[in-house]
Amino acid sequence: MPTGYASLSTTRSTKAKVKISCDIKGKIALVTGANRGIGRAITDAFLHHGATKVYAAVRNLDSADSLLERYGDMVAPVQFDLAKPETITAMAERTDDLHVVVNNAGIFKASTPLDSDAIEALELAIKINLFGLVRMAQAFAPVLRENGGGAFVQLNSIASLKCSSNFATHSASKAATYSITQALRDLLGQQGTAVLSVHPGLIATDMSSTAGLAGSAAPPSLVAEGIVAALKSGDFHLFPDAMAQRIGQAYRSFSESVIEVDLAEYKTENHPVS
C-alpha cells in the first residue's frame, strides 16, 4: 500500500501537494514496450527489487521470449498497441491485479515546423504519445484504485521542456504528455496513486539512435533504477542521466514553486476520478 506524507513548503497563494510513495517490492506491475530499451531495463529493475510479477505489454508477443526465458512465470506477456485503443481496454481487463503501471511505449517521428510532413508527423505523435497516455490513464486508474492506489509512471523526456528544431513535432507531443501528467498527479492523487514524470536525456536506445543522439548516451538501467528510487521517495519528477540532471537542476525552482504546488488562482471545483 502506498503511504502519503505532506511537504512543509507553503505560501499564502500556493499549497504544497501531498507526496505519495510506492515501494516496488511485493508489487505487480505492467510495463509497456517491455521487450527492449528502457522498458526492458525497467522490467529487469522491478523484478530485481522485489516485484512479484511484471506484465510485459508488447505488440508482438514473441518479442518477450527472452524475458520468459530469464524470469519464467514472473513475467506475463500481454499484447497491446497504443494505436489500437481496444487493445488497451482488453489489457486493463486482463491485468486487474496490478499495482504499478509504466507507460513507456511511444513513437519518435522527427520533423521541423517547416518540413512538408510537419503536420503528418505531429498528428502521428499526438495520436500515439498523447492519446495513448490518456487512454492508458483512463483504463488503469480504476484498476489502481481498486488495488490500493499504487503508482502510474509516465515516460516523458527532456524534450518536453527543451524543444529542438530538428525534432520539434516530437517535442510538442512530449510537452503535451507532460501537461497531462501534471493533471494526472492531481486526479490520481485523490485515490492515493503516486504519479511519476520521467524525463530522460540521452539514453542508449533505438529511439536515440534514430534521432542521431546516441553519441554520449547513458544506459537504460540508469532510468530504471531511478524510477524505483523515485517511486519509493514519492518524487514527481525524475531526471535520471547527466544531461537530464543539468536541465532538472535549472528547472527545480520553477517546478517547486509552480508545478508541484496548488495555485490558489487555479483552484476550481474538484473532479474526482470515477
Side-chain angles (χ1 to χ4, degrees), residues 64-72 75:
D65 285 350
S66 63
L67 284 168
L68 290 173
E69 291 172 4
R70 180 171 184 179
Y71 295 111
V75 169

Side-chain angles (χ1 to χ4, degrees), residues 153-182:
V153 181
Q154 166 64 18
L155 266 291
N156 288 313
S157 170
I158 60 166
S160 66
L161 300 174
K162 168 62 177 176
C163 180
S164 168
S165 60
N166 290 331
F167 46 87
T169 52
H170 175 72
S171 292
S173 75
K174 286 299 184 178
T177 63
Y178 178 42
S179 184
I180 293 296
T181 307
Q182 293 173 46

Side-chain angles (χ1 to χ4, degrees), residues 155-271:
L155 266 291
N156 288 313
S157 170
I158 60 166
S160 66
L161 300 174
K162 168 62 177 176
C163 180
S164 168
S165 60
N166 290 331
F167 46 87
T169 52
H170 175 72
S171 292
S173 75
K174 286 299 184 178
T177 63
Y178 178 42
S179 184
I180 293 296
T181 307
Q182 293 173 46
L184 291 176
R185 187 189 187 208
D186 289 340
L187 296 169
L188 297 186
Q190 297 173 33
Q191 64 178 39
T193 298
V195 173
L196 175 62
S197 182
V198 186
H199 299 260
L202 299 184
I203 306 298
T205 65
D206 293 343
M207 186 176 289
S208 293
S209 297
T210 300
L213 298 173
S216 57
S221 59
L222 199 62
V223 182
E225 291 294 331
I227 289 173
V228 172
L231 286 175
K232 194 169 185 178
S233 61
D235 296 334
F236 175 54
H237 292 104
L238 170 63
F239 296 91
D241 56 284
M243 179 185 180
Q245 287 169 7
R246 188 171 75 249
I247 293 173
Q249 182 66 32
Y251 185 63
R252 178 177 297 173
S253 177
F254 176 77
S255 175
E256 291 178 349
S257 301
V258 179
I259 302 298
E260 299 180 56
V261 298
D262 285 323
L263 298 179
E265 297 85 349
Y266 262 29
K267 200 66 176 177
T268 59
E269 182 180 354
N270 289 331
H271 298 279

Side-chain angles (χ1 to χ4, degrees), residues 2-269:
T3 57
Y5 53 95
S7 168
L8 299 179
S9 176
T10 59
T11 69
R12 286 188 303 170
S13 61
T14 65
K15 181 178 180 181
K17 296 180 185 296
V18 174
K19 285 189 173 184
I20 305 172
S21 62
C22 180
D23 191 337
I24 199 63
K25 185 175 182 180
K27 301 297 191 297
I28 298 173
L30 179 141
V31 180
T32 66
N35 55 315
R36 62 180 183 175
I38 293 175
R40 172 61 188 259
I42 294 170
T43 300
D44 289 335
F46 279 8
L47 291 171
H48 175 73
H49 287 279
T52 57
K53 182 168 70 173
V54 173
Y55 289 103
V58 293
R59 281 184 293 179
N60 181 357
L61 292 178
D62 292 340
S63 67
D65 285 350
S66 63
L67 284 168
L68 290 173
E69 291 172 4
R70 180 171 184 179
Y71 295 111
D73 59 8
M74 294 179 70
V75 169
V78 288
Q79 194 166 33
F80 108 113
D81 187 337
L82 283 175
K84 300 177 179 178
E86 67 275 11
T87 67
I88 297 174
T89 303
M91 183 171 62
E93 292 174 352
R94 177 178 173 183
T95 61
D96 60 357
D97 58 345
L98 58 83
H99 310 98
V100 178
V101 173
V102 181
N103 187 43
N104 163 70
I107 191 171
F108 178 88
K109 183 173 174 58
S111 181
T112 80
L114 301 181
D115 289 342
S116 61
D117 68 342
I119 299 299
E120 176 188 353
L122 184 57
E123 286 179 338
L124 180 60
I126 293 296
K127 176 183 177 181
I128 301 300
N129 297 337
L130 180 60
F131 294 173
L133 166 59
V134 172
R135 289 180 176 124
M136 286 287 293
Q138 290 176 345
F140 285 100
V143 175
L144 295 173
R145 182 188 64 228
E146 290 301 313
N147 293 327
F152 188 97
V153 181
Q154 166 64 18
L155 266 291
N156 288 313
S157 170
I158 60 166
S160 66
L161 300 174
K162 168 62 177 176
C163 180
S164 168
S165 60
N166 290 331
F167 46 87
T169 52
H170 175 72
S171 292
S173 75
K174 286 299 184 178
T177 63
Y178 178 42
S179 184
I180 293 296
T181 307
Q182 293 173 46
L184 291 176
R185 187 189 187 208
D186 289 340
L187 296 169
L188 297 186
Q190 297 173 33
Q191 64 178 39
T193 298
V195 173
L196 175 62
S197 182
V198 186
H199 299 260
L202 299 184
I203 306 298
T205 65
D206 293 343
M207 186 176 289
S208 293
S209 297
T210 300
L213 298 173
S216 57
S221 59
L222 199 62
V223 182
E225 291 294 331
I227 289 173
V228 172
L231 286 175
K232 194 169 185 178
S233 61
D235 296 334
F236 175 54
H237 292 104
L238 170 63
F239 296 91
D241 56 284
M243 179 185 180
Q245 287 169 7
R246 188 171 75 249
I247 293 173
Q249 182 66 32
Y251 185 63
R252 178 177 297 173
S253 177
F254 176 77
S255 175
E256 291 178 349
S257 301
V258 179
I259 302 298
E260 299 180 56
V261 298
D262 285 323
L263 298 179
E265 297 85 349
Y266 262 29
K267 200 66 176 177
T268 59
E269 182 180 354

